[in-house]
Amino acid sequence: MQHIALVGTTADAKLGFRAELIKDLVAQGHIVYAFAGDYTDKTRSAITALGAIAVPYHISRFGMNPLQDIYTLVQLIWLFKKYRIDLSFCYFAKPVIFGTIAARLAGVPRRVAKIEGLGRIFTIPATGDTRRAKLLRWVQTQLYRIALPCCETVFVLNPDDEQDLIRNNNIKVKRCINLGGIGINLSDYQPFTPKGSIRFIFVGRLLPEKGIGYFIEAAKILRQQGAAAEFVVLGEPDNAPGAINRSQLQHLVEQGTIFYPGRVLNVAEYLKQSHVFVLPSYYREGVPRSTQEAMAAGLAVITTNVPGCRETVIDNENGLLVPPHDVDALVAAMQKLVTFPALTEQMGRRSRALAEQKYDVRKINAIVINALAPEDPNKA
């Protein structure tokens, strides 16, 4: 039995993306402390129901104030000592950096980190890099250079992240394991081929780097061309610069460009009624969970040939890869699947098979838990 600190950012992300891991760790007999920065009574109760202990702490997810980050560091040192943590498991950029350093300073004997994509700072927009972006990338890389060597294991989700962050920057890590994805509960997604016109679906944050703008532009073009297709958008409006807001969504709905149902609790039902999942992202993804879910639901996938996204598609087998920032290529790919619906069904079946092979959360969790197991002192 180990006291494990699972250190992330938001409670919703922990419940949405770590619930299965928490349950598996608890089933192994470990005491799991779930660290998040925004607990409510509802999310705290949900974490407790999984068998873990909710631990609130302060973290500024996107802030650049070093004093706030120092406060986070000091608070984590105190909390790790208070709960006598045996193993820290940190994921997402700031928790990996400051959580791992805090664990080292607190004397936590075992430390693990998980890189789930390189994120916004490593994302290069169509307009190219800026001096500010290059500076922030350099600073974050230096912080990783301090934190990652403190870990006994670093998990990544795709080979590009290991190459671009760790190898290219000569960051010394003891062991790096490529998980290929965070995994999903396959039983939550049952393949089903709906009748009627081809339905394309976008699921994700409505941010420019996630490709929502390209999806909408492609939908407009295909509408103008008279394509027999429907276009569904799932995702919450975002306040970030360049994001699609609620009034813009309403206008697109009134124009007949997209169907937008607002906030939904069961994404699986909408995937079940769709044929093709589209993610024209240029964000430095790990491996998008939304794409893993769509594959488990038996959808063909159209996504970009960029790190993280390209791991989910074998081109012309379970979907199509397109270049980032290329709306013409995106339209051509979508038009191809409208024209050949039998190909769409074939790709969907292949997606499900790949999801069973690569993204079963039980298989991925088994790899993680095996890596977290303490070494047998009697082993030669």
Side-chain angles (χ1 to χ4, degrees):
M1 181 188 75
Q2 299 183 89
H3 288 225
I4 297 176
L6 198 61
V7 186
T9 52
T10 68
D12 282 342
K14 199 171 295 291
L15 289 166
F17 303 152
R18 316 295 153 191
E20 298 298 329
L21 178 59
I22 290 172
K23 288 190 287 187
D24 286 353
L25 288 171
V26 170
Q28 291 280 323
H30 301 297
I31 299 175
V32 179
Y33 297 88
F35 285 61
D38 60 349
Y39 275 118
T40 63
D41 289 342
K42 181 179 179 181
T43 54
R44 188 189 296 269
S45 296
I47 286 291
T48 301
L50 295 174
I53 299 166
V55 180
Y57 78 110
H58 170 82
I59 184 167
S60 175
R61 293 173 62 199
F62 306 116
M64 301 293 180
N65 186 337
L67 293 178
Q68 290 191 348
D69 293 335
I70 291 172
Y71 176 70
T72 297
L73 182 73
V74 172
Q75 187 181 31
L76 285 172
I77 292 172
W78 181 79
L79 288 169
F80 290 154
K81 289 182 176 180
K82 175 184 176 181
Y83 292 109
R84 299 180 180 180
I85 299 300
D86 300 308
L87 185 150
S88 64
F89 187 153
C90 304
Y91 57 92
F92 297 155
K94 280 201 172 185
V96 163
I97 291 167
F98 297 106
T100 300
I101 294 172
R104 174 69 180 271
L105 295 174
V108 174
R110 305 184 63 213
R111 300 169 294 275
V112 170
K114 194 176 182 189
I115 307 294
E116 300 193 356
L118 299 187
R120 181 176 286 105
I121 288 178
F122 286 80
T123 296
I124 300 177
T127 53
D129 249 342
T130 64
R131 289 183 180 179
R132 181 176 183 272
K134 290 178 181 178
L135 175 61
L136 291 174
R137 195 175 305 136
W138 181 85
V139 169
Q140 190 169 90
T141 299
Q142 302 317 304
L143 291 170
Y144 276 129
R145 192 184 299 280
I146 297 169
L148 296 185
C150 298
C151 298
E152 64 179 51
T153 302
V154 176
F155 296 108
V156 296
L157 300 186
N158 67 67
D160 292 284
D161 287 356
E162 179 180 1
Q163 183 66 46
D164 294 346
L165 176 64
I166 297 173
R167 296 188 182 279
N168 288 354
N169 291 291
N170 197 29
I171 297 176
K172 304 299 182 184
V173 299
K174 296 179 180 68
R175 177 171 62 165
C176 188
I177 298 175
N178 181 2
L179 294 174
I182 62 174
I184 56 171
N185 190 337
L186 295 172
S187 64
D188 292 340
Y189 303 89
Q190 297 303 321
F192 175 80
T193 304
K195 305 298 181 182
S197 301
I198 295 293
R199 182 175 293 135
F200 296 95
I201 185 168
F202 173 98
V203 181
R205 294 177 66 193
L206 305 184
L207 300 172
E209 55 264 37
K210 288 290 188 175
I212 180 59
Y214 294 122
F215 179 82
I216 290 171
E217 185 63 26
K220 289 179 179 178
I221 293 170
L222 288 166
R223 287 278 190 203
Q224 292 169 358
Q225 293 176 350
E230 300 172 0
F231 308 90
V232 179
V233 172
L234 298 187
E236 283 290 288
D238 202 291
N239 294 324
I244 303 295
N245 59 41
R246 197 171 296 278
S247 63
Q248 290 172 308
L249 287 168
Q250 184 59 37
H251 181 64
L252 290 165
V253 170
E254 292 171 354
Q255 285 183 321
T257 304
I258 63 169
F259 172 72
Y260 179 71
R263 180 178 176 82
V264 301
L265 298 178
N266 192 350
V267 173
E269 283 301 312
Y270 285 88
L271 291 174
K272 186 177 179 180
Q273 297 301 324
S274 301
H275 303 82
V276 184
F277 177 79
V278 184
L279 186 68
S281 172
Y282 57 92
Y283 187 75
R284 276 305 297 253
E285 309 275 1
V287 173
R289 179 183 170 90
S290 57
T291 314
Q292 296 173 58
E293 293 173 342
M295 292 170 67
L299 275 67
V301 175
I302 298 175
T303 193
T304 43
N305 190 9
V306 298
C309 290
R310 60 172 161 244
E311 311 307 316
T312 61
V313 169
I314 301 175
D315 200 24
N316 286 301
E317 285 196 24
N318 72 305
L320 299 168
L321 289 173
V322 298
H325 311 297
D326 191 337
V327 72
D328 291 335
L330 178 61
V331 169
M334 294 168 76
Q335 183 63 67
K336 179 177 181 177
L337 297 190
V338 171
T339 305
F340 301 103
L343 177 61
T344 303
E345 292 187 26
Q346 176 184 326
M347 287 180 169
R349 289 192 294 271
R350 182 68 173 128
S351 277
R352 174 67 189 195
L354 285 170
E356 292 174 355
Q357 175 186 332
K358 298 172 63 176
Y359 302 130
D360 184 343
V361 72
R362 298 277 87 82
K363 294 179 182 178
I364 292 173
N365 283 355
I367 296 171
V368 171
I369 291 171
N370 182 64
L372 299 185
E375 290 188 6
D376 186 347
N378 297 317
K379 186 177 179 180

